[in-house]
Amino acid sequence: MIVVLLILIPLLSGLVTFFLKGGNSAKTCALISSLLTLGVSISGLTIFNNADLLLFKADWLPGLGSTFSIRLDGMGQLLCLLTAVSFPLIFVATWRHEYKNAHNFFALMLLSQAGLMGVFLAMDALVFYFFWELALIPVYFLCSIWGGEKRIQATFKFFIYTFIGSVLMLVGLIYLQSQTESKSFDITAFYALNISHNSQSWIFLLMFVAFAIKMPVFPLHTWQPDTYEQAPTATTMVLNGIMAKMGVFAVIRWLLPVLPFASFAYGETTVTVLAVIGMIYASLLAIRQDDMKRLIAYSSIAHIGLMVIAIFAETTISLQGVMIQMFNHGINIIGLWIIVEIIERKYGTRKMSELGGLAQKAPVMAMLFVIIALANIALPLTNSFVGEFMMFSGIFSSPLFQYELIIVPAAGLCIILAAVYVLKMVQKVLYGNTILLTEMATDIRLNEKVVLGIIVMLIIVAGVYPQPFLDLTKDTTNFILKESNVIHLLKK
Amino acid sequence: MNALILLTILGVVMMFSGVVLKRNAAIRTLAVTGLLLAIIANVMDTYGIHFFNINIRGMMNFDRFALLFITIILSCTFIFFLLSAKDMEKVGINFADYFALIFFILCGIILTSSFSSLLILFLGIEIISIPLYILTGSDKRNLKSNEASLKYFLLGAFSTGLMLMGITMFYGYTGTFSVENLVIVEGMPSALLIAGIILLMFSMSFKVSAAPFHFWTPDVYDGAPTVFTSFMATIVKAAGFIAFIRLFYLSFDSLGDSWKLLIAIITALTLFIGNITAVFQQSVKRMLAYSSIAQAGFMMMAVLALNGPAMEGILLYIIAYNLSTIGLFAILIKMKDYTFEGFNGFAKRQPALARAAVIFLLSLAGIPLTAGFLGKFYMLKAVVQQGGYLWLVIMAVVMAAVSVYYYFRVIQAMYFKEGEAQSLEVSLFFKWTISIVAFLVILLGVYPQIIFKWYYF
């Protein structure tokens, strides 16, 4: 029953928040609800951690072969935890931001949280699709109403992109369902599928497009920098911190084990080539950016690219690395966005050329910013190092890859490029002489210190002691690999 | 049968009510109550309580599907009355007559949804069409309305001719008008029958405005008074589809090989033309006219599949489409400016109406959690299950994505653009009704079982 609460709390409190009068009560309601969700999520990891409580099934659309079935497995635990941790952090960090019609803003944020939870929990393809879209619609409204100047075009592009992706995925899901023995959308029926290689390959394309748009993978990424730039920063945190992970997550759960042969066939060829091109391309673009939001947006494409390659390497260590990195990247990137939000709110600009010398005026922020930035380039002792190390090691040892000697250096190049653009950002914003704009700067407030402090703590703890994450994801990883093992399937 | 006879009597009563009742409110109340009675009578019919016992000699068959559809269509008309009956006053002076004509159309719809003889089908189609010609031209002083009426009449008469020709060929081959228990000899069916089927298909495509027989639709929908456009685009179109499906399901399903490809081509054309043309419209009313063509394309997929999900799905699709379109038109009727710009800043002026309109638009675009999504989903599933035609499925979803563009333009205008939409004078009752309709759209999108329980009980 715990799992139902994870969806129900944000959903109901979101609906209630629509009718609250005044910004403060809505803000408080949103914060309390997100803290409750966090509590439930943590209790699901600790005291209520048994299989019965983490499972829920109910009749829904018997005529269509769909049941409302949700379950928390290891990977789901990790991503639900990420979702549950992120929202209170986002709310507290942007506490002082004044929104017009704040009740609608917070209501939509909570609804998108419900959608995200549903995506990570769904064990039925139709339920998955429902939540996939439920997460999208509120975000569309959030970006279009509270976004920047060019918000309408930018978010519409985003919406059309993702919608085309998801309807193509829908066709794939319907086809898969029609091929199952029991004519059901249940995930176990999908895993038991045994369809011809030919069908696998074109369904793979239909579904991978949907996931690739969400992540995004080159060349389907063009919506992303514009949307991240135009969206209100609190929403950008959700978009980049959590929603980008939906695509990665969906490939692991709904693509790899369901279409193992196609995943194998496309894995090292099309997908990896696109991902590598995207990584290098995005890194180079990131170096050229002056706007901090766009820089982070491009850096995110590069990081996600590595995760995509690691998934298709299909080794235990690389898959576990991806899962851990999804969590870590979410935390780090939200940290960076919070910093950007603070800077933009205080000084009215995100342009690095217009900033400088903040370290003298805001030492606490500078320290926290540097740690988060270093985590983003995967320095040892930070959380990203663990994830990226595991992914690289997995790609090297993958039995499916033949060209790892080309892939790994190309991907490794991006780590160096990441250091270039992240350090450039740190240097331009924090160091150098103060300019007119930053002359009167003050340090960050308590709520921001607390949030960034928590993020830094998570970065270091997960960097030094990642064992709990490894334990959590072990079962899921082994299960996924068993289901998608091509050699094993061929023998059968 | 109950509803049919009741509605005929009501139609006649309404014709003369204008003479007896002087106040419009009284006429309206009479019509709404009468319709409510008809719905109740039909539900009782469903549960096996028949008021009249008439031997119709197998010309009609009130099966479960037909009765459920009649309930749905009458309920949609009921909602239409609640939302828009007041606006009929503004069309002309013959307020009571409009109700009478609508009741006669409903009689025709009952005939087309329960026929088992082609004669009844023909009769039903004509009973629907003739009052519609009058309603289209009811704004007598408006040149566009007159033009629309004439155009509709001429093209309608042409399609009726095609239908009669088709029926004749059918009769020539089978020697009967009955579509049930049709025995078709194995092997190659004769050219006579195939020609009959194709002529019937064309004339039905005309009635449901499927491309390339759709040319009358935008002009007629645009020219007719908006209240009646709403009625035509929803309830009458749904009736056309039920007749289409009933005809092909009962008699021609076994001959699928000879006509399914043609239907698939018509479907693809309808989807393509409807959606692409709707993108370029500047007026919301005209956009809705083209969107109704686009939606017809999706409903045509049920005619193509004719299996379990198709039959369930078409009912759900019709409800979703009717509720959303009636709701949108009800708001549009109140507006003076029909362009997209006219909706700028609408959400600030009318938050409740804007919220309902968003739900209707999302439903029409086929976004999950709304009934419109499940309707589309059933259609896609029906075609996939039928096998083959995957190109059509992929084309349909791409076109659904195109439709997002023009539906969302209204949302963008209402919510994201600054502007001075005129403030409408709407009653509290209207606001509540439209909110409830919007809620129904969501409810059916999450839990459609409430409809299907009726079908299978």
Side-chain angles (χ1 to χ4, degrees):
Chain A
M1 284 307 286
I2 286 286
V3 282
V4 186
L5 286 180
L6 281 178
I7 298 173
L8 221 52
I9 293 175
L11 187 67
L12 291 182
S13 53
L15 291 178
V16 168
T17 312
F18 266 122
F19 297 99
L20 288 179
K21 291 268 182 297
N24 274 330
S25 53
K27 221 184 255 184
T28 321
C29 175
L31 182 62
I32 292 173
S33 147
S34 61
L35 285 174
L36 266 178
T37 317
L38 177 61
V40 172
S41 171
I42 292 175
S43 75
L45 272 171
T46 50
I47 38 178
F48 297 122
N49 194 358
N50 71 48
D52 287 343
L53 284 170
L54 301 182
L55 176 84
F56 179 78
K57 249 187 186 181
D59 263 358
W60 182 39
L61 298 168
L64 288 175
S66 173
T67 47
F68 188 84
S69 114
I70 49 178
R71 188 164 67 81
L72 257 183
D73 60 359
M75 180 167 58
Q77 290 267 28
L78 203 57
L79 284 160
C80 284
L81 186 67
L82 172 66
T83 316
V85 170
S86 306
F87 273 81
L89 289 181
I90 293 170
F91 288 143
V92 174
T94 57
W95 191 256
R96 286 179 184 278
H97 201 298
E98 292 296 333
Y99 300 100
K100 59 172 197 238
N101 292 331
H103 57 288
N104 287 341
F105 181 86
F106 288 104
L108 289 169
M109 285 290 271
L110 288 174
L111 288 186
S112 74
Q113 190 188 16
L116 287 163
M117 286 289 188
V119 169
F120 298 139
L121 290 170
M123 287 293 161
D124 180 285
L126 197 55
V127 177
F128 170 73
Y129 183 80
F130 257 70
F131 282 114
W132 180 272
E133 294 282 322
L134 178 61
L136 171 67
I137 302 288
V139 168
Y140 170 69
F141 278 91
L142 283 168
C143 298
S144 300
I145 299 180
W146 288 276
E149 264 171 42
K150 283 181 254 157
R151 61 186 191 276
I152 298 181
Q153 295 89 324
T155 49
F156 198 43
K157 187 172 163 191
F158 157 63
F159 189 85
I160 294 280
Y161 253 96
T162 41
F163 189 73
I164 289 179
S166 38
V167 287
L168 291 178
M169 167 173 86
L170 184 66
V171 175
L173 293 179
I174 295 176
Y175 182 81
L176 288 175
Q177 185 253 7
S178 74
Q179 299 298 311
T180 55
E181 261 174 44
S182 48
K183 301 282 172 229
S184 126
F185 278 105
D186 198 70
I187 197 164
T188 46
F190 272 41
Y191 284 179
L193 271 174
N194 191 8
I195 45 181
S196 73
H197 298 190
N198 224 345
S199 320
Q200 281 203 15
S201 73
W202 65 262
I203 297 174
F204 179 91
L205 290 179
L206 286 178
M207 291 173 67
F208 185 73
V209 165
F211 303 148
I213 289 173
K214 210 78 167 190
M215 289 191 251
V217 172
F218 176 87
L220 301 169
H221 67 284
T222 54
W223 61 270
Q224 190 244 34
D226 295 339
T227 309
Y228 284 9
E229 188 189 359
Q230 295 299 326
T233 314
T235 312
T236 314
M237 295 176 202
V238 177
L239 269 170
N240 195 357
I242 317 169
M243 285 187 85
K245 312 298 178 301
M246 275 164 66
V248 181
F249 163 89
V251 171
I252 299 180
R253 179 172 286 168
W254 294 98
L255 210 52
L256 216 51
V258 177
L259 305 169
F261 288 101
S263 304
F264 168 64
Y266 285 114
E268 200 196 357
T269 54
T270 323
V271 174
T272 308
V273 169
L274 287 181
V276 169
I277 294 175
M279 284 174 76
I280 296 173
Y281 175 68
S283 304
L284 291 176
L285 281 178
I287 293 175
R288 299 288 304 155
Q289 297 304 317
D290 189 33
D291 186 316
M292 291 170 80
K293 271 190 157 181
R294 289 187 84 86
L295 187 148
I296 300 176
Y298 281 114
S299 93
S300 171
I301 298 179
H303 283 116
I304 299 276
L306 182 60
M307 293 186 208
V308 176
I309 303 173
I311 295 174
F312 288 96
E314 294 186 39
T315 52
T316 319
I317 189 161
S318 73
L319 263 188
Q320 271 193 305
V322 174
M323 291 177 198
I324 293 174
Q325 185 64 1
M326 276 199 271
F327 183 84
N328 293 338
H329 182 256
I331 294 292
N332 296 347
I333 213 83
I334 286 176
L336 277 181
W337 286 116
I338 290 174
I339 302 266
V340 173
E341 203 266 346
I342 293 171
I343 290 176
E344 190 187 4
R345 182 155 37 87
K346 280 195 163 178
Y347 313 114
T349 180
R350 304 186 299 256
K351 297 241 184 307
M352 290 186 285
S353 53
E354 294 172 10
L355 292 161
L358 275 180
Q360 300 164 31
K361 299 289 173 185
V364 180
M365 182 186 87
M367 187 184 77
L368 296 169
F369 184 13
V370 169
I371 297 176
I372 296 171
L374 292 179
N376 204 37
I377 37 181
L379 210 69
L381 285 187
T382 62
N383 54 1
S384 291
F385 175 72
V386 181
E388 296 208 344
F389 178 80
M390 288 173 72
M391 289 196 282
F392 273 115
S393 139
I395 294 170
F396 251 130
S397 59
S398 168
L400 302 184
F401 278 15
Q402 295 172 344
Y403 300 105
E404 66 264 28
L405 282 176
I406 302 170
I407 299 167
V408 172
L413 178 68
C414 296
I415 305 261
I416 300 167
L417 292 176
V420 175
Y421 56 75
V422 170
L423 291 179
K424 189 187 115 188
M425 174 170 72
V426 168
Q427 183 197 359
K428 281 200 169 174
V429 174
L430 294 181
Y431 302 109
N433 293 325
T434 54
I435 54 173
L436 194 63
L437 194 64
T438 53
E439 192 61 39
M440 304 300 287
T442 49
D443 212 340
I444 50 177
R445 290 171 191 277
L446 181 65
N447 63 327
E448 293 151 357
K449 278 182 197 162
V450 170
V451 170
L452 291 175
I454 293 173
I455 289 176
V456 165
M457 205 183 69
L458 282 172
I459 287 175
I460 293 175
V461 169
V464 178
Y465 185 60
Q467 195 56 41
F469 293 113
L470 293 174
D471 296 340
L472 193 60
T473 52
K474 201 173 67 195
D475 290 346
T476 319
T477 311
N478 289 335
F479 178 71
I480 298 277
L481 284 178
K482 199 183 104 232
E483 290 289 340
S484 54
N485 191 333
V486 184
I487 300 152
H488 177 72
L489 282 170
L490 275 179
K491 271 183 197 153
K492 208 163 57 175
Chain B
M1 203 69 197
N2 292 353
L4 179 60
I5 291 170
L6 207 60
L7 282 169
T8 319
I9 298 170
L10 264 171
V12 179
V13 168
M14 288 313 293
M15 256 163 64
F16 296 105
S17 68
V19 184
V20 183
L21 300 169
K22 285 299 163 212
R23 285 181 51 239
N24 281 347
I27 296 174
R28 207 165 52 229
T29 320
L30 181 66
V32 172
T33 341
L35 187 59
L36 197 60
L37 284 178
I39 296 174
I40 294 169
N42 191 57
V43 171
M44 288 168 94
D45 216 351
T46 321
Y47 283 96
I49 305 166
H50 308 296
F51 295 162
F52 310 96
N53 216 348
I54 303 168
N55 184 5
I56 39 176
R57 298 174 193 274
M59 302 271 269
M60 291 161 83
N61 181 9
F62 287 93
D63 49 22
R64 172 83 11 98
F65 188 76
L67 285 170
L68 179 56
F69 174 74
I70 295 168
T71 313
I72 289 170
I73 224 64
L74 293 182
S75 311
C76 288
T77 316
F78 184 68
I79 290 170
F80 168 72
F81 276 178
L82 289 184
L83 287 173
S84 307
K86 251 189 188 159
D87 299 293
M88 283 191 222
E89 283 176 29
K90 292 172 198 142
V91 175
I93 43 169
N94 312 317
F95 189 51
D97 294 359
Y98 301 145
F99 283 111
L101 289 171
I102 287 179
F103 281 127
F104 289 138
I105 292 175
L106 289 178
C107 291
I109 290 176
I110 293 178
L111 292 183
T112 54
S113 52
S114 57
F115 70 90
S116 44
S117 153
L118 286 176
L119 284 179
I120 297 285
L121 171 69
F122 178 71
L123 211 57
I125 294 279
E126 283 306 287
I127 293 178
I128 293 173
S129 299
I130 293 166
L132 268 185
Y133 304 145
I134 306 173
L135 286 180
T136 309
S138 56
D139 191 359
K140 277 186 276 187
R141 287 190 183 76
N142 187 343
L143 202 63
K144 266 175 91 185
S145 174
N146 285 318
E147 185 202 325
S149 178
L150 189 64
K151 206 175 218 169
Y152 194 17
F153 173 69
L154 289 176
L155 287 170
F158 182 65
S159 92
T160 305
L162 284 186
M163 171 175 271
L164 272 179
M165 192 73 184
I167 293 177
T168 320
M169 289 179 170
F170 180 89
Y171 185 80
Y173 179 77
T174 60
T176 168
F177 285 123
S178 170
V179 291
E180 281 176 348
N181 320 317
L182 186 65
V183 185
I184 289 160
V185 192
E186 289 290 318
M188 269 303 279
S190 87
L192 190 63
L193 184 63
I194 299 293
I197 292 175
I198 288 173
L199 284 177
L200 279 169
M201 183 198 292
F202 285 173
S203 72
M204 290 314 294
S205 303
F206 178 89
K207 293 294 173 200
V208 298
S209 66
F213 309 98
H214 68 285
F215 290 102
W216 59 277
T217 319
D219 291 342
V220 171
Y221 283 9
D222 201 25
T226 315
V227 208
F228 299 130
T229 310
S230 168
F231 185 73
M232 259 192 276
T234 54
I235 289 150
V236 175
K237 177 166 279 195
F241 267 107
I242 289 300
F244 206 156
I245 285 176
R246 198 177 166 84
L247 178 65
F248 278 73
Y249 183 65
L250 287 178
S251 38
F252 307 139
D253 199 14
S254 54
L255 293 173
D257 290 345
S258 50
W259 55 267
K260 285 215 164 161
L261 184 63
L262 200 55
I263 284 276
I265 292 169
I266 292 179
T267 311
L269 268 180
T270 313
L271 282 167
F272 185 77
I273 293 176
N275 281 302
I276 298 298
T277 327
V279 167
F280 298 105
Q281 300 309 312
Q282 294 309 320
S283 135
V284 176
K285 191 178 175 186
R286 243 184 132 73
M287 181 275 276
L288 283 173
Y290 279 104
S291 115
S292 88
I293 298 176
Q295 302 279 349
F298 258 96
M299 289 190 254
M300 286 292 282
M301 294 169 92
V303 185
L304 176 65
L306 291 180
N307 48 18
M311 304 306 261
E312 278 179 24
I314 192 75
L315 288 180
L316 190 64
Y317 203 110
I318 283 172
I319 300 173
Y321 168 70
N322 278 4
L323 291 182
S324 312
T325 313
I326 289 174
L328 272 181
F329 267 114
I331 295 171
L332 190 68
I333 294 164
K334 312 260 179 203
M335 311 270 296
K336 284 187 196 72
D337 185 0
Y338 284 170
T339 58
F340 283 95
E341 283 72 34
F343 278 89
N344 283 358
F346 188 72
K348 253 187 208 138
R349 293 289 174 96
Q350 305 283 352
L353 294 191
R355 214 170 290 158
V358 165
I359 293 173
F360 298 142
L361 288 163
L362 292 180
S363 170
L364 285 176
I367 308 285
L369 289 182
T370 59
F373 165 72
L374 275 187
K376 284 198 167 66
F377 180 81
Y378 268 100
M379 293 297 127
L380 298 175
K381 187 168 180 287
V383 175
V384 170
Q385 193 168 319
Q386 133 102 15
Y389 303 112
L390 267 164
W391 58 273
L392 184 63
V393 174
I394 291 177
M395 166 152 181
V397 295
V398 171
M399 285 300 143
V402 171
S403 79
V404 166
Y405 176 80
Y406 53 84
Y407 291 128
F408 273 52
R409 267 178 79 188
V410 186
I411 297 183
Q412 286 175 348
M414 288 195 299
Y415 276 90
F416 314 144
K417 292 197 174 146
E418 300 292 326
E420 295 299 312
Q422 72 267 36
S423 52
L424 315 176
E425 283 175 23
V426 287
S427 61
L428 201 61
F429 174 75
F430 181 81
K431 274 186 193 165
W432 272 102
T433 322
I434 209 151
S435 304
I436 290 169
V437 175
F439 175 73
L440 271 178
V441 170
I442 300 260
L443 182 70
L444 287 171
V446 180
Y447 196 68
Q449 279 346 82
I450 37 181
I451 297 292
F452 300 137
K453 266 182 196 151
W454 274 64
Y455 188 21
Y456 292 119
F457 75 96

